[in-house]
Coordinates of all heavy atoms in Angstrom, one line a residue:
C10 N -38.7 -124.4 -361.3 CA -37.7 -124.3 -362.4 C -36.3 -124.1 -361.8 O -36.1 -123.3 -360.9 CB -38.1 -123.1 -363.2 SG -37.0 -122.9 -364.6
P11 N -35.3 -124.9 -362.2 CA -34.0 -124.9 -361.5 C -33.1 -123.7 -362.0 O -32.1 -123.6 -361.3 CB -33.4 -126.2 -362.0 CG -34.0 -126.5 -363.3 CD -35.4 -125.9 -363.3
V12 N -33.5 -123.0 -363.0 CA -32.6 -122.0 -363.5 C -33.3 -120.7 -363.8 O -34.5 -120.6 -363.8 CB -31.9 -122.4 -364.8 CG1 -31.0 -123.6 -364.6 CG2 -32.9 -122.7 -365.9
D13 N -32.5 -119.6 -363.9 CA -33.1 -118.3 -364.3 C -33.6 -118.4 -365.7 O -33.2 -119.2 -366.5 CB -32.1 -117.2 -364.2 CG -31.7 -116.9 -362.8 OD1 -32.5 -117.3 -361.9 OD2 -30.6 -116.3 -362.6
E14 N -34.5 -117.4 -366.0 CA -35.2 -117.4 -367.4 C -34.1 -117.4 -368.5 O -34.3 -118.1 -369.5 CB -36.1 -116.2 -367.4 CG -37.1 -116.3 -368.5 CD -37.8 -115.0 -368.7 OE1 -38.1 -114.3 -367.7 OE2 -38.1 -114.6 -369.9
D15 N -33.1 -116.7 -368.3 CA -32.1 -116.6 -369.5 C -31.3 -117.8 -369.6 O -30.6 -118.0 -370.7 CB -31.2 -115.3 -369.3 CG -30.5 -115.3 -368.0 OD1 -30.8 -116.1 -367.1 OD2 -29.6 -114.4 -367.9
A16 N -31.3 -118.7 -368.6 CA -30.5 -120.0 -368.8 C -31.4 -121.2 -369.2 O -30.9 -122.3 -369.4 CB -29.9 -120.3 -367.4
L17 N -32.7 -120.9 -369.3 CA -33.7 -121.9 -369.7 C -33.6 -122.2 -371.2 O -33.5 -121.2 -372.0 CB -35.1 -121.4 -369.3 CG -36.2 -122.3 -369.3 CD1 -36.1 -123.4 -368.2 CD2 -37.5 -121.5 -369.1
P18 N -33.5 -123.5 -371.6 CA -33.6 -123.7 -373.1 C -34.9 -123.2 -373.6 O -36.0 -123.4 -373.0 CB -33.5 -125.2 -373.2 CG -33.8 -125.8 -371.8 CD -33.5 -124.7 -370.8
K19 N -34.8 -122.5 -374.8 CA -36.0 -122.0 -375.4 C -36.9 -123.1 -376.0 O -38.1 -123.1 -376.0 CB -35.7 -121.0 -376.5 CG -35.2 -119.6 -376.0 CD -35.0 -118.7 -377.2 CE -34.6 -117.3 -376.8 NZ -33.9 -117.0 -375.6
H20 N -36.1 -124.1 -376.5 CA -36.8 -125.2 -377.2 C -36.3 -126.5 -376.6 O -35.1 -126.8 -376.8 CB -36.6 -125.1 -378.7 CG -37.3 -126.1 -379.5 ND1 -37.4 -126.0 -380.9 CD2 -37.9 -127.3 -379.2 CE1 -38.0 -127.1 -381.4 NE2 -38.4 -127.9 -380.3
I21 N -37.1 -127.3 -376.1 CA -36.8 -128.6 -375.6 C -37.4 -129.7 -376.5 O -38.7 -129.6 -376.7 CB -37.2 -128.8 -374.1 CG1 -36.6 -127.8 -373.2 CG2 -36.9 -130.3 -373.6 CD1 -37.1 -127.9 -371.7
A22 N -36.6 -130.6 -377.0 CA -37.2 -131.7 -377.8 C -37.0 -133.0 -377.1 O -35.9 -133.2 -376.5 CB -36.5 -131.7 -379.2
I23 N -38.0 -133.8 -377.1 CA -37.9 -135.1 -376.4 C -38.2 -136.3 -377.2 O -39.2 -136.4 -377.9 CB -38.8 -135.1 -375.1 CG1 -38.5 -133.8 -374.3 CG2 -38.5 -136.4 -374.3 CD1 -39.3 -133.8 -372.9
I24 N -37.3 -137.3 -377.2 CA -37.5 -138.6 -377.8 C -38.0 -139.5 -376.6 O -37.3 -139.9 -375.7 CB -36.3 -139.2 -378.4 CG1 -35.7 -138.3 -379.5 CG2 -36.6 -140.6 -379.0 CD1 -34.4 -138.7 -380.1

Side-chain angles (χ1 to χ4, degrees):
C10 181
V12 296
D13 291 339
E14 199 187 319
D15 55 349
L17 194 64
K19 286 186 174 28
H20 183 167
I21 301 178
I23 309 185
I24 304 176

